[in-house]
Amino acid sequence: MRMRPTLSWAPAEDLPPGTTDLAPVVDALSTGGVLVLSGAGLSTESGIPDYRGEGGSLGRHTPMTYQEFTASAQARRRYWARSHLGWRIFGRARPNAGHRAVAAFERHGLLSGVITQNVDGLHQAAGSRDVVELHGSLERVVCLSCGAGSARRELALRLEEANAGFEPVAAGVNPDGDADLTDAQVGGFRVMPCVSCGGILKPDVVFFGESVPPPRVEQCRQLVREATSLLVLGSSLTVMSGLRFVRQAFQASTPVLIVNRDATRGDQLALTRVALPLGEALTSVAGHLKLPADGNH
């Protein structure tokens, strides 16, 4: 039986309510030096579901853990079969208005950087440049034996050749790029080894149960230290990998602002939580700042 990682929390009854007032966000960005911390909620308008929001994938999907992936060949077969199909769907996702607004903020010098918990590459596709991918990227693959890295598109071609005719219909795709397939659908899928040493290949992402590399954490901590404020976009802050930066900012008296429709684990540490859809909210903020958020310079 697959064990579900702990991915939820119960909001306290005394959490401050959300607001629709964007003025604090506009004011923070007007000052400049804002650090963005983005989560899966920012990509839902691109067709990629989040884990915990309305229609989130946790209700039907148990994410792969590092421990399961490394311990079980069957788990790796299931992961790569589902991920191979999910990769095709991910490849069709395009940046939405929220991503474009963040890129506009950066382009006009209002941001000190972007930390994203997402692995979809949509910030960069929208034009953002100073992006730290906290949980890695599905664009890359790494060998667990020799450490060799390679492009995911190269592995995708190898998997296509080894699994000709693999065309199952998925029930959905998840924020980690894992499509919903049954065990029967993945039973005959062939997994490809590292071309350099024959070792186990893993997507260059941080699985649940796996730690973010310490140098990357320190890079993010330094960004928090240098920021004038921290703007959280589309994250429930349920897992510590993102919440720790909110706590760091709060302890340093750096204002924390959150835009997320649902309550988050960081609400009590935030100056405000705007409970609006990300695309709508950030497009409105860009308008208040008289910035084009559609990718035009």
Side-chain angles (χ1 to χ4, degrees):
M1 177 183 295
R2 298 184 67 194
M3 299 296 292
R4 290 181 66 87
T6 301
L7 302 172
S8 61
W9 63 285
E13 293 182 359
D14 59 347
L15 280 179
T19 179
T20 58
D21 181 12
L22 289 166
V25 178
V26 173
D27 290 344
L29 284 163
S30 297
T31 302
V34 175
L35 175 62
V36 165
L37 172 63
S38 69
L42 185 61
S43 292
T44 56
E45 293 175 39
S46 294
I48 300 173
D50 62 6
Y51 284 114
R52 303 169 186 86
E54 183 178 351
S57 68
L58 280 184
R60 65 176 191 278
H61 168 66
T62 299
M64 179 62 66
T65 66
Y66 180 78
Q67 292 76 12
E68 184 180 14
F69 185 88
T70 54
S72 168
Q74 177 57 30
R76 291 191 293 274
R77 177 179 294 107
R78 181 174 62 246
Y79 174 81
W80 280 117
R82 294 164 60 147
S83 182
H84 181 54
L85 183 60
W87 169 254
R88 301 173 184 171
I89 299 171
F90 251 56
R92 295 195 292 269
R94 294 293 179 266
N96 61 53
H99 296 110
R100 293 192 294 272
V102 171
F105 300 154
E106 180 189 74
R107 198 162 56 243
H108 288 83
L110 306 182
L111 303 184
S112 60
V114 176
I115 301 170
T116 184
Q117 297 171 280
N118 300 338
V119 296
D120 52 38
L122 292 179
H123 274 299
Q124 294 92 325
S128 292
R129 295 183 178 181
D130 295 326
V131 181
V132 178
E133 294 173 313
L134 184 64
H135 294 156
S137 171
L138 285 175
E139 295 279 349
R140 302 183 297 271
V141 178
V142 64
C143 175
L144 295 180
S145 297
C146 70
S150 57
R152 176 64 179 269
R153 62 180 178 275
E154 296 174 3
L155 176 62
L157 291 174
R158 295 175 63 204
L159 290 172
E160 289 282 0
E161 293 175 0
N163 297 279
F166 181 72
E167 297 288 345
V169 177
V173 67
N174 304 297
D176 54 4
D178 189 0
D180 293 324
L181 297 175
T182 66
D183 287 344
Q185 288 175 300
V186 306
F189 192 83
R190 292 184 59 199
V191 176
M192 293 291 98
C194 173
V195 294
S196 298
C197 74
I200 295 172
L201 292 178
K202 173 185 172 293
D204 193 13
V205 300
V206 177
F207 280 153
F208 286 98
E210 185 178 8
S211 297
V212 177
R216 194 180 303 163
V217 174
E218 179 52 34
Q219 180 184 8
C220 293
R221 287 198 180 281
Q222 183 60 31
L223 287 172
V224 175
R225 285 191 283 268
E226 296 171 352
T228 59
S229 59
L230 178 62
L231 177 59
V232 180
L233 303 176
S235 176
S236 65
L237 300 170
T238 297
V239 295
M240 188 55 65
S241 63
L243 180 62
R244 60 183 151 195
F245 303 124
V246 171
R247 289 179 172 174
Q248 177 189 346
F250 178 78
Q251 290 166 0
S253 298
T254 300
V256 176
L257 306 98
I258 299 173
V259 184
N260 198 66
R261 289 207 293 185
D262 299 320
T264 84
R265 198 175 171 188
D267 282 9
Q268 291 178 317
L269 308 179
L271 179 66
T272 185
R273 177 175 63 84
V274 178
L276 289 173
L278 269 296
E280 172 189 335
L282 296 180
T283 299
S284 180
V285 169
H288 282 294
L289 294 169
K290 296 181 170 52
L291 304 180
D294 59 1
N296 295 324
H297 292 248

